[in-house]
Amino acid sequence: QVQLVESGGGLVQPGGSLRLSCAASGTIFSMYAAGWYRQAPGKQRELVAVITRVSTTNYADSVKGRFTISRDNAKNTVYLQMNSLKSEDTAVYYCNAVPSQFVWGQGTQVTVSS
């Protein structure tokens, strides 16, 4: 079955940076548009970044200019570079295809706090 494993989260101060990774197995991930989603406590999961099969990208307004999504098709991996982090970025971050057709992984916790 398809497995998605997120990593790279952690505790950072406001203004800091993190790089998240999403390793896919059981599928050729480059055949799909891929996205990073996040879910904060008490809120619904939201899509924050998308990268298509042809490497077109799109971002939610809340992260535009600060986050960059990329993919390494040879490694079957999608990345999210997060800069200038804010407290409101605190959430569990998940990856999936767009639309989200695979089983969700465990996600990786990002906490932005001083």
Side-chain angles (χ1 to χ4, degrees), residues 36-113:
W36 282 96
Y37 304 73
R38 69 185 182 188
Q39 188 167 29
K43 296 185 178 180
Q44 289 191 280
R45 200 189 327 258
E46 63 172 336
L47 180 63
V48 298
V50 176
I51 184 165
T52 70
R53 294 179 62 188
V54 295
S55 297
T56 299
T57 60
N58 201 12
Y59 303 91
D61 287 343
S62 58
V63 308
K64 192 171 297 182
R66 300 187 298 119
F67 291 9
T68 303
I69 187 171
S70 62
R71 67 198 313 171
D72 185 337
N73 293 336
K75 296 181 178 179
N76 221 29
T77 299
V78 178
Y79 304 96
L80 186 67
Q81 178 66 48
M82 306 186 296
N83 299 325
S84 302
L85 284 162
K86 306 173 180 179
S87 60
E88 51 261 48
D89 296 318
T90 295
V92 179
Y93 284 72
Y94 303 86
C95 62
N96 212 315
V98 180
S100 54
Q101 65 187 92
F102 299 125
V103 175
W104 298 100
Q106 292 297 303
T108 186
Q109 176 72 51
V110 172
T111 302
V112 185
S113 177

